[in-house]
Amino acid sequence: DELSRDQILVCAHRAYHKFVPENSLASVQQAIDAKIDIVEVDVNTTKDGILVLMHDNSLDRTTTGTGKLTNYTYKQLQQFNLVDDFGTETNFKIPRLKDVLLFAKQNNIVLTLDKKRSVDYKSIVNLVNQLQAQDQVVLITYDIQQATEAYTIAPHLLLSVSARNTKELDWLLHSKIPTQNMLAFTGTRLSSDSLYKAIHKLGIKTILGTL
């Protein structure tokens, strides 16, 4: 069948954080050490507009700090440490996206960037272009509006686009986004064979989330 003929790549969600904090440089390094192919990270922003890695809008769950991330400048965040999945404090700090992109370039790995609401695609793309890290990046989008916006801003980048059913796939095919820019996210449960066959027939790779 198609899957056995094609290489299956593994993507680590919030990087590989089995023994270290999620969305840390250490978790990206751990993914590299574990020979994981792609690393998904979350992009958030500080009070002074520095793009950093953090899933939540609040510091409470993943750091020794409290309150909203956007209440702090990047410099002020240096007083806090990241905590791991068990709530144990580590010596790791909240990393800048810039440093993670440079690290990805240095180690030739692919990052999928999941932007949080406080961030716009333009600021991410500007940084990616500035660092010439286009080959390292896939932008995650969740609906046709986001996908169209991301493509308009970054026609040179690969986009993870939502194609969980034939309706969403049809929307994508009637958009201005070329199929070669698409990586089709089919959701967190297995879809019908017919959907995968339709997507693969278009030459689009699929990505499936597992929980």
Side-chain angles (χ1 to χ4, degrees):
D1 72 0
E2 271 183 63
L3 278 181
S4 59
R5 286 204 307 270
D6 226 332
Q7 187 187 9
I8 295 174
L9 303 177
V10 175
C11 176
H13 186 236
R14 301 184 203 172
Y16 186 30
H17 50 99
K18 193 172 181 183
F19 308 110
V20 294
E22 65 178 57
N23 280 310
S24 64
L25 262 175
S27 63
V28 178
Q29 180 65 64
Q30 195 166 260
I32 294 166
D33 295 342
K35 304 278 192 290
I36 287 168
D37 306 288
I38 303 166
V39 179
E40 186 264 3
V41 292
D42 299 289
V43 182
N44 225 315
T45 189
T46 63
K47 188 180 184 178
D48 52 342
I50 303 292
L51 296 179
V52 295
L53 264 53
M54 183 166 287
H55 178 274
D56 302 0
N57 295 322
S58 156
L59 299 177
D60 298 65
R61 182 178 65 87
T62 58
T63 81
T64 54
T66 56
K68 282 187 176 180
L69 174 67
T70 49
N71 288 344
Y72 296 90
T73 64
Y74 179 70
K75 193 175 179 182
Q76 288 170 334
L77 288 173
Q78 300 314 297
Q79 65 188 296
F80 307 126
N81 288 335
L82 290 170
V83 301
D84 65 17
D85 289 354
F86 307 101
T88 307
E89 183 177 348
T90 70
N91 292 322
F92 302 115
K93 303 289 182 185
I94 297 166
R96 295 185 304 176
L97 176 62
K98 180 180 182 177
D99 298 321
V100 179
L101 286 170
L102 289 170
F103 192 62
K105 269 187 81 169
Q106 192 185 333
N107 291 278
N108 197 27
I109 57 158
V110 173
L111 300 171
T112 59
L113 304 182
D114 190 354
K115 89 169 186 69
K116 299 296 129 183
R117 283 182 187 170
S118 56
V119 183
D120 57 42
Y121 286 117
K122 206 163 200 169
S123 56
I124 294 175
V125 173
N126 284 346
L127 184 59
V128 169
N129 291 345
Q130 184 190 321
L131 300 176
Q132 297 185 320
Q134 293 91 339
D135 291 346
Q136 263 60 55
V137 166
V138 178
L139 290 181
I140 293 175
T141 67
Y142 285 99
D143 54 44
I144 192 67
Q145 287 80 15
Q146 281 192 350
T148 304
E149 182 194 347
Y151 174 68
T152 305
I153 295 164
H156 56 301
L157 289 184
L158 190 61
L159 305 177
S160 171
V161 293
S162 194
R164 295 165 298 179
N165 49 56
T166 50
K167 189 179 180 181
E168 287 186 340
L169 179 60
D170 199 48
W171 285 343
L172 289 165
L173 296 178
H174 286 88
S175 73
K176 61 180 180 178
I177 307 162
T179 52
Q180 65 261 30
N181 285 53
M182 297 180 190
L183 175 65
F185 177 68
T186 59
T188 53
R189 51 175 74 115
L190 208 56
S191 298
S192 66
D193 278 358
S194 59
L195 180 67
Y196 290 108
K197 280 176 180 158
I199 295 170
H200 291 152
K201 199 174 178 183
L202 294 160
I204 304 169
K205 299 279 186 191
T206 53
I207 183 166
L208 170 71
T210 63
L211 298 170

